[in-house]
Amino acid sequence: MLEQIDLTRKMDKEEYRRKMDEMTPHLARLQRECKELGIPVMIVFEGFGAAGKGVQIGKLISALDPRGFHVHAINGESPEEQMRPFLWRFWIKTPAKGRIAIFDRSWYRRVLVDRFDGLTSDQELSYAYEEINSFERQLTDDGYVIIKLFLCIDKKEQKKRFHKLMESKSSAWRVSEGDLKRNKEYNRYKEMNEEMLQKTDSDYAPWTIVEATQREFATVKIYSAVIRCLEAKIQQVRNRKEDTGRPGAGTESQWTDESTLKTSSLNSVDLTLSYTKEEYKEKLDRLQNRIQELHGELYRRRIPVILGFEGWDAGGKGGAIKRLTAKMDPRGYQVNPTASPNDLERAHHYLWRFWNNVPKKGHIAIFDRTWYGRVMVERIEGFCTTEEWQRAYREMNDMEANWVHSGAIVRKFWLQIDKDEQERRFRERMENPDKQWKITDEDWRNREKWDQYEQAVDEMLVRTSTTYAPWIIVEGNSKYYARIKVLQSVVDAIEERLKEDKSKD
Amino acid sequence: MLEQIDLTRKMDKEEYRRKMDEMTPHLARLQRECKELGIPVMIVFEGFGAAGKGVQIGKLISALDPRGFHVHAINGESPEEQMRPFLWRFWIKTPAKGRIAIFDRSWYRRVLVDRFDGLTSDQELSYAYEEINSFERQLTDDGYVIIKLFLCIDKKEQKKRFHKLMESKSSAWRVSEGDLKRNKEYNRYKEMNEEMLQKTDSDYAPWTIVEATQREFATVKIYSAVIRCLEAKIQQVRNRKEDTGRPGAGTESQWTDESTLKTSSLNSVDLTLSYTKEEYKEKLDRLQNRIQELHGELYRRRIPVILGFEGWDAGGKGGAIKRLTAKMDPRGYQVNPTASPNDLERAHHYLWRFWNNVPKKGHIAIFDRTWYGRVMVERIEGFCTTEEWQRAYREMNDMEANWVHSGAIVRKFWLQIDKDEQERRFRERMENPDKQWKITDEDWRNREKWDQYEQAVDEMLVRTSTTYAPWIIVEGNSKYYARIKVLQSVVDAIEERLKEDKSKD
């Protein structure tokens, strides 16, 4: 979940003040409503050292009635706490109905700092994940709202902040040996955080990643996340009280402008990247030959490969797949185009048709559009309920994990183009008799929903880019560049895996 | 879940025929309703070899329209199947809406037979449990009904059946080398089954244990389970269509007479067991001294102990606890009486107050009535919803697992008396001025619901007796016998644990 995020996100002071002026009294109102409705709320702050957890908690509580919340700073276990199961100190801190408990670090400590420090054994680690998920599930099943915020800064920024703190005697104590060690071994610690995010991002208690390089941006993002979660819960409880059927978690709030707060690095993608025709031809030739060789090696070693392609309409998926498969042995791969489900498919679970096309060991399956339709077109067009698409992130991550456990290489490509480039390509298709079939009214209609799709894609990339099955964002304005990047990424993935496998021979 | 079951259960032929005559056409009706409503159904048969899976599947489908179901016999993986993730062959066999898929063995093969045969590695085993639970959750979230039946016979019965099969040439082929090996190592294989049941018994796809020693009893129990699950789902779907709010999974069916089909061995408990006063005094003295010694040892080794007491009103909980603690150091134990929750407790999760009383390492916590109130009094009096008490089995198992992971010994005692003995004790209390405070109108009211309680207790004992935190059923008609059994069980549990710990020193 930390792979595709853009840590350069900023917000200008003017906009910040305007938003805060609106959101602050609104948050206070929501707190009062939660109190009236008896909704217990837990807000968890996790993230890298010096990412600003303390400052942000201060900002958050400034909007709240102090009689209604309690801030818990979670440090190492006290002797009393060491004498009991690790969740004990959190169970006893669960808030009563209508109250808010804010955690500066939390039960995640056990799988993060304590793990890094070698205090958590492997056995304890695996129990801890089970126990954490069960803890959060039990509470949310009982009507609790759990809002989990992960504040992220990069290694350089963290180092800068530590140094600044250490310059002054009055703040130097805030930087511990452990902090410096985790900065030095930032990547190792980041991997632990990534694993934690993947294992505990659930539909009942999802994580919100907060880009914390700029304080103002982070504050607005935190306010928005808290407001969105509380509004959804309040609406759900009210609906239930009025007995009007299903919860309305899917409604968009006027208070949370998702488009400014997007997490993924999609918008900062450099779409000017390109190759000349000569560069392209030379690289293409080399990579296609290499894939041909690797394909044989995969077959000998019985390694299955699953490649998913998604992207904007006219983003160049078809062309990229064509170049990818050009020199593959046709007996060893299959391209599965994904259209709207047919009647038989609709009579099954939405993942059933993709399971049907899982490749044999040693074979390559390419999906032209994928299971991710669930969280894009189905979400936006209302073909599934809010609960269904929210649950789908976990379901798709689980499915891909199944495949990886059974030995598969899984990669997902997002072909990114900008809106102007799409229009140019649409017009070109309309004017070219050979390409007219590729463009329909629906494409133009989808284009009108660009912003909605962008928001859905953003959430998809963040929630489903895992270490075992990452998304690869392909800069697609130059078709040459895009095709080469796809081929190169596939070659890299296979070579990496073969290297691992050979090291075990 | 296999510990507390009574494999001697039988049904006479007369009753069997009467029940089957009613249930057979009713099941056929339910199949038609499922078809109309588009409900997909999966029925899983697992259990010990020669427990009669094949015969029972035959009995079950005799009631069904053959156009609407498909039986899948799941043997070892074919070469095609070996080439794909292990769930692939089950995903592609998931039924379409309105159809029934019946599995003779299933995805559980991987954690049972294949594990026993050494085909499943430790790594694969831990993934397999995650993947199985995720598979079942995804399907049930999507509206599937998954009915899981576990057919149980004991080692001796199994051996007898194998021998009978082997006597005739026409059936000898049905007994494999593997079958004989699993009979020989029955206990090792049973442990794998027990672990499987514990890890996969969920609120969304619970197991039904079928005592399969007598064919007729098993058939009726299977029919009842299938009917109950289908009825609950049909009602849920209908309610949702009519938009009348929450599903009605809790309604009792006229078709399933739970009292005759109870699983636990509660009713076959031998309540005539007793001690003379002299025997009692001698044993009591010895055990109390032993507990005193062990208490010190627990303290030195920092082992916490959690003991829960449940039982019929006037079952003798108080007396047993008094004898148990008589010679314990009062600084090292605490008795927590559990009454109706107070306002503060009601404002929290129902498990919160028990978490608050988790003992420190080296201390003993005794609960006089426990968290199990959720699935007894709260279930029966309607203080929580059906969903809530159904979910509670898993929540309580998880909570106890947390405690055990952190090093605790956990034991739960059920003090069993019969209805006559209860009446005798109630009357005695009413007549004795010193004991009158112990008896209230509520006790008499609860007594009227004896049958309902018995059914709830039965389900509780089966679903929550785990290897790590077993229930101990205490024959309670003789107070002397009961007290000694409690003390002896506590001594045994502690000694067993100390032996383990010392072997690691």
Side-chain angles (χ1 to χ4, degrees):
Chain A
M1 291 181 68
L2 297 176
E3 282 189 32
Q4 299 294 356
I5 70 173
D6 176 7
L7 290 177
T8 65
R9 305 301 308 270
K10 282 203 176 87
M11 178 170 286
D12 72 56
K13 306 279 154 96
E14 191 60 36
E15 194 182 354
Y16 169 74
R17 265 188 299 271
R18 194 166 43 72
K19 280 185 185 290
M20 291 301 287
D21 286 349
E22 285 175 353
M23 289 198 292
T24 304
H26 184 54
L27 184 56
R29 274 196 297 279
L30 292 175
Q31 181 191 14
R32 288 193 295 273
E33 279 196 81
C34 285
K35 192 177 167 208
E36 275 164 36
L37 294 170
I39 299 170
V41 179
M42 294 164 83
I43 305 176
V44 172
F45 283 81
E46 287 287 349
F48 292 101
K53 289 188 289 293
V55 173
Q56 296 296 349
I57 290 172
K59 287 279 160 196
L60 182 67
I61 61 177
S62 70
L64 301 176
D65 178 344
R67 291 162 304 181
F69 70 84
H70 194 114
V71 178
H72 302 280
I74 304 300
N75 295 308
E77 289 179 329
S78 72
E80 268 299 297
E81 289 162 348
Q82 281 168 6
M83 299 291 268
R84 293 191 169 82
F86 102 91
L87 282 173
W88 174 75
R89 61 169 164 161
F90 304 107
W91 263 103
I92 65 174
K93 292 182 178 71
T94 53
K97 287 176 186 161
R99 295 189 54 86
I100 300 175
I102 297 170
F103 292 86
D104 180 0
R105 296 208 172 276
S106 65
W107 42 96
Y108 287 100
R109 201 186 157 87
R110 189 159 181 103
V111 296
L112 298 175
V113 175
D114 288 353
R115 177 185 181 188
F116 185 88
D117 290 345
L119 299 175
T120 308
S121 71
D122 284 356
Q123 177 70 82
E124 283 170 336
L125 185 70
S126 97
Y127 286 146
Y129 280 124
E130 274 178 41
E131 293 177 359
I132 286 169
N133 283 327
S134 163
F135 175 61
E136 294 180 356
R137 167 132 226 145
Q138 288 183 35
L139 291 170
T140 52
D141 274 349
D142 195 44
Y144 281 67
V145 182
I146 304 182
I147 303 169
K148 303 190 295 193
L149 305 161
F150 188 91
L151 275 61
C152 194
I153 53 175
D154 66 19
K155 183 176 182 172
K156 220 173 111 189
E157 177 70 22
Q158 190 184 42
K159 196 171 179 179
K160 206 177 79 187
R161 292 186 185 189
F162 283 155
H163 279 257
K164 201 169 161 205
L165 286 168
M166 287 188 294
E167 273 167 18
S168 149
K169 262 191 190 163
S170 66
S171 58
W173 61 273
R174 292 179 54 194
V175 182
S176 69
E177 290 284 319
D179 284 331
L180 295 174
K181 190 163 177 226
R182 283 187 291 277
N183 180 258
K184 212 172 155 192
E185 299 177 49
Y186 182 89
N187 284 331
R188 186 164 77 87
Y189 188 57
K190 186 179 170 192
E191 267 174 39
M192 291 180 185
N193 281 276
E194 176 68 34
E195 181 184 307
M196 177 281 280
L197 292 167
Q198 286 176 23
K199 283 189 189 275
T200 61
D201 187 47
S202 58
D203 49 337
Y204 47 90
W207 281 100
T208 297
I209 306 288
V210 178
E211 301 82 343
T213 312
Q214 193 213 26
R215 208 271 301 153
E216 285 80 5
F217 182 85
T219 304
V220 170
K221 183 135 188 186
I222 290 168
Y223 265 71
S224 300
V226 172
I227 287 173
R228 195 181 58 240
C229 293
L230 295 184
E231 281 184 343
K233 185 69 192 180
I234 288 166
Q235 200 184 332
Q236 190 197 37
V237 172
R238 286 207 189 285
N239 283 352
R240 224 171 255 168
K241 293 214 165 156
E242 291 158 17
D243 216 1
T244 59
R246 57 181 326 129
T251 50
E252 307 297 334
S253 167
Q254 56 157 316
W255 302 95
T256 60
D257 175 8
E258 292 297 333
S259 62
T260 29
L261 298 172
K262 278 199 305 285
T263 289
S264 84
S265 48
L266 208 53
N267 272 6
S268 58
V269 159
D270 180 2
L271 291 174
T272 65
L273 291 171
S274 67
Y275 288 127
T276 64
K277 194 162 187 177
E278 289 65 40
E279 286 173 315
Y280 169 65
K281 283 202 162 168
E282 181 273 321
K283 284 176 194 289
L284 184 68
D285 203 45
R286 191 171 46 75
L287 286 166
Q288 285 180 335
N289 289 333
R290 182 66 186 136
I291 281 182
Q292 196 179 15
E293 288 165 27
L294 290 171
H295 196 190
E297 186 76 0
L298 289 172
Y299 192 77
R300 273 191 298 281
R301 291 186 170 262
R302 295 270 185 273
I303 300 170
V305 180
I306 297 169
L307 305 172
F309 285 84
E310 290 284 357
W312 297 105
D313 289 330
K317 290 187 300 297
I321 291 171
K322 211 164 139 191
R323 271 60 178 196
L324 175 64
T325 57
K327 293 198 184 167
M328 285 184 189
D329 181 336
R331 291 163 304 182
Y333 77 89
Q334 178 125 28
V335 178
N336 305 296
T338 303
S340 309
N342 61 32
D343 285 351
L344 183 65
E345 288 163 348
R346 243 190 295 270
H348 284 86
H349 192 279
Y350 76 99
L351 292 174
W352 176 77
R353 56 176 171 154
F354 303 105
W355 271 98
N356 263 287
N357 287 316
V358 167
K360 282 194 210 186
K361 290 189 179 163
H363 287 240
I364 299 176
I366 294 166
F367 291 87
D368 184 354
R369 297 221 175 272
T370 68
W371 42 100
Y372 286 99
R374 188 73 161 186
V375 294
M376 294 195 292
V377 58
E378 292 192 40
R379 166 182 177 173
I380 287 166
E381 301 295 339
F383 296 152
C384 63
T385 67
T386 304
E387 288 73 20
E388 282 170 340
W389 64 255
Q390 284 179 342
R391 206 165 63 211
Y393 297 115
R394 157 75 40 180
E395 292 171 340
M396 299 189 299
N397 284 339
D398 280 359
M399 180 174 74
E400 292 167 10
N402 280 357
W403 296 344
V404 170
H405 292 163
S406 80
I409 298 172
V410 180
R411 289 293 183 278
K412 294 143 357 189
F413 295 93
W414 176 262
L415 276 82
Q416 173 69 0
I417 54 175
D418 60 32
K419 224 175 156 179
D420 292 344
E421 178 66 18
Q422 189 188 49
E423 186 170 359
R424 214 187 48 69
R425 292 188 187 181
F426 277 9
R427 298 209 178 281
E428 188 189 299
R429 286 180 177 188
M430 291 177 80
E431 284 154 19
N432 182 339
D434 291 341
K435 290 190 174 176
Q436 273 166 12
W437 62 275
K438 282 180 140 184
I439 180 102
T440 65
D441 285 353
E442 207 190 321
D443 292 324
W444 287 101
R445 276 198 303 275
N446 287 343
R447 185 175 156 79
E448 281 166 27
K449 297 183 180 168
W450 183 281
D451 291 348
Q452 272 176 275
Y453 271 96
E454 206 165 45
Q455 188 180 323
V457 170
D458 179 65
E459 190 168 356
M460 170 187 85
L461 291 173
V462 173
R463 291 211 188 279
T464 61
S465 197
T466 55
T467 41
Y468 52 89
W471 276 102
I472 294 159
I473 297 179
V474 179
E475 299 81 353
N477 272 16
S478 154
K479 287 184 180 177
Y480 289 165
Y481 184 86
R483 292 168 189 170
I484 296 300
K485 178 152 180 184
V486 167
L487 267 80
Q488 186 65 57
S489 304
V490 173
V491 166
D492 290 348
I494 298 173
E495 285 182 340
E496 190 190 327
R497 170 59 178 278
L498 289 175
K499 208 171 128 191
E500 265 174 49
D501 272 25
K502 282 178 188 163
S503 73
K504 286 180 207 151
D505 281 353
Chain B
M1 291 179 66
L2 298 176
E3 283 189 31
Q4 299 294 357
I5 71 172
D6 175 7
L7 290 176
T8 65
R9 306 303 305 272
K10 282 203 177 82
M11 177 169 288
D12 72 58
K13 304 279 153 97
E14 193 58 39
E15 192 182 356
Y16 169 73
R17 265 187 299 271
R18 194 168 42 73
K19 281 187 184 288
M20 291 303 287
D21 285 349
E22 285 175 354
M23 289 199 291
T24 305
H26 183 54
L27 184 55
R29 276 197 298 278
L30 293 175
Q31 181 191 14
R32 288 193 295 275
E33 278 196 82
C34 284
K35 193 178 166 205
E36 275 164 36
L37 294 169
I39 299 171
V41 179
M42 294 164 85
I43 304 177
V44 173
F45 283 81
E46 287 287 351
F48 291 101
K53 291 190 288 293
V55 172
Q56 296 296 349
I57 290 172
K59 288 280 161 196
L60 182 66
I61 61 178
S62 70
L64 301 175
D65 178 344
R67 292 163 303 182
F69 70 83
H70 195 115
V71 178
H72 302 279
I74 303 300
N75 295 307
E77 290 180 329
S78 72
E80 268 298 298
E81 290 162 349
Q82 282 169 6
M83 298 291 269
R84 293 189 168 83
F86 101 92
L87 282 173
W88 174 74
R89 61 168 164 161
F90 304 106
W91 263 105
I92 65 174
K93 292 182 179 70
T94 53
K97 287 176 187 159
R99 293 188 56 85
I100 300 176
I102 297 170
F103 291 86
D104 180 0
R105 295 208 172 276
S106 65
W107 42 97
Y108 287 101
R109 205 189 152 85
R110 191 165 182 98
V111 296
L112 298 175
V113 176
D114 289 353
R115 178 185 179 188
F116 185 86
D117 291 344
L119 298 174
T120 308
S121 71
D122 284 356
Q123 177 70 83
E124 282 169 336
L125 186 70
S126 94
Y127 286 146
Y129 280 124
E130 275 179 39
E131 292 177 0
I132 286 169
N133 283 327
S134 161
F135 175 60
E136 294 180 355
R137 168 131 227 146
Q138 288 182 35
L139 291 171
T140 51
D141 275 348
D142 196 42
Y144 280 68
V145 181
I146 303 181
I147 302 169
K148 302 191 295 194
L149 305 161
F150 189 90
L151 276 61
C152 196
I153 52 175
D154 66 20
K155 184 176 180 173
K156 218 173 111 189
E157 176 71 21
Q158 191 185 41
K159 199 171 176 181
K160 207 177 78 187
R161 293 187 184 189
F162 283 156
H163 279 257
K164 201 170 161 204
L165 286 167
M166 286 188 296
E167 274 167 19
S168 150
K169 261 191 189 161
S170 67
S171 59
W173 61 272
R174 291 177 56 192
V175 182
S176 69
E177 290 284 320
D179 284 330
L180 295 174
K181 192 168 177 221
R182 282 188 292 276
N183 180 256
K184 211 172 154 192
E185 299 177 48
Y186 182 89
N187 284 331
R188 187 164 76 88
Y189 188 56
K190 186 181 170 190
E191 267 175 38
M192 291 180 185
N193 280 274
E194 177 67 35
E195 181 184 306
M196 177 282 280
L197 292 167
Q198 285 176 23
K199 285 190 188 273
T200 61
D201 186 48
S202 58
D203 50 337
Y204 47 91
W207 280 100
T208 297
I209 307 290
V210 178
E211 301 82 345
T213 312
Q214 192 213 27
R215 207 269 300 154
E216 285 79 5
F217 182 85
T219 304
V220 170
K221 181 133 187 189
I222 289 167
Y223 265 70
S224 299
V226 173
I227 286 173
R228 195 182 56 240
C229 292
L230 296 184
E231 280 184 342
K233 185 69 192 182
I234 287 167
Q235 199 185 331
Q236 188 195 42
V237 171
R238 287 209 189 284
N239 282 352
R240 222 171 258 167
K241 291 212 165 158
E242 290 158 18
D243 216 0
T244 59
R246 58 184 321 132
T251 51
E252 307 297 334
S253 167
Q254 55 157 316
W255 302 95
T256 60
D257 174 9
E258 292 297 336
S259 61
T260 29
L261 297 171
K262 279 200 302 286
T263 288
S264 84
S265 48
L266 207 51
N267 272 7
S268 57
V269 159
D270 180 2
L271 291 175
T272 65
L273 290 170
S274 67
Y275 286 127
T276 63
K277 194 161 186 176
E278 288 65 40
E279 285 173 316
Y280 170 67
K281 282 203 163 167
E282 180 274 319
K283 284 176 194 290
L284 184 69
D285 202 46
R286 191 173 44 78
L287 286 166
Q288 284 181 336
N289 288 333
R290 182 66 186 135
I291 281 182
Q292 195 179 14
E293 287 165 29
L294 290 170
H295 196 191
E297 186 77 359
L298 288 171
Y299 192 77
R300 273 190 298 281
R301 290 185 171 263
R302 295 269 184 274
I303 299 170
V305 180
I306 297 169
L307 304 172
F309 285 84
E310 291 284 356
W312 297 104
D313 288 330
K317 290 186 300 295
I321 291 170
K322 211 164 139 190
R323 272 59 178 197
L324 176 63
T325 55
K327 293 199 183 166
M328 285 185 189
D329 181 336
R331 291 163 303 182
Y333 79 90
Q334 177 125 29
V335 178
N336 306 295
T338 302
S340 308
N342 62 31
D343 285 351
L344 183 65
E345 288 164 347
R346 243 191 295 271
H348 284 85
H349 192 280
Y350 77 100
L351 292 175
W352 176 77
R353 56 177 170 152
F354 304 105
W355 270 100
N356 263 287
N357 286 317
V358 167
K360 282 195 210 190
K361 288 186 179 164
H363 288 240
I364 298 177
I366 294 166
F367 291 88
D368 184 354
R369 297 223 176 270
T370 67
W371 41 102
Y372 286 99
R374 188 72 160 185
V375 295
M376 294 196 291
V377 57
E378 292 193 39
R379 166 183 176 173
I380 286 166
E381 301 295 340
F383 297 152
C384 64
T385 67
T386 304
E387 288 73 21
E388 282 171 339
W389 64 256
Q390 285 180 340
R391 206 165 61 213
Y393 297 115
R394 157 78 37 182
E395 292 170 341
M396 298 188 300
N397 284 338
D398 279 0
M399 179 174 75
E400 292 168 12
N402 281 356
W403 296 345
V404 171
H405 292 163
S406 80
I409 298 171
V410 180
R411 289 293 182 280
K412 291 139 7 185
F413 294 93
W414 176 261
L415 277 83
Q416 174 69 359
I417 53 174
D418 60 31
K419 225 175 154 178
D420 291 343
E421 178 65 20
Q422 192 187 48
E423 187 170 358
R424 213 187 49 71
R425 292 189 186 179
F426 277 10
R427 297 212 177 276
E428 188 189 300
R429 287 182 178 186
M430 290 177 79
E431 285 154 19
N432 182 339
D434 290 341
K435 290 191 176 177
Q436 273 167 10
W437 62 274
K438 280 178 143 187
I439 180 101
T440 65
D441 286 352
E442 207 189 323
D443 291 324
W444 288 101
R445 275 199 302 277
N446 287 343
R447 185 175 156 77
E448 282 166 28
K449 298 184 180 167
W450 183 282
D451 291 349
Q452 272 175 276
Y453 271 97
E454 206 166 45
Q455 187 180 322
V457 169
D458 180 65
E459 189 168 357
M460 171 188 85
L461 292 174
V462 173
R463 292 212 187 278
T464 61
S465 195
T466 55
T467 41
Y468 52 87
W471 276 101
I472 293 158
I473 297 180
V474 179
E475 297 81 354
N477 273 17
S478 154
K479 287 186 180 177
Y480 289 165
Y481 185 86
R483 291 170 190 168
I484 296 300
K485 179 154 179 181
V486 166
L487 266 82
Q488 185 66 55
S489 304
V490 172
V491 166
D492 290 348
I494 298 173
E495 285 182 343
E496 190 190 327
R497 170 58 178 280
L498 289 175
K499 208 171 128 191
E500 265 175 50
D501 273 26
K502 281 177 187 162
S503 73
K504 286 182 209 149
D505 281 354

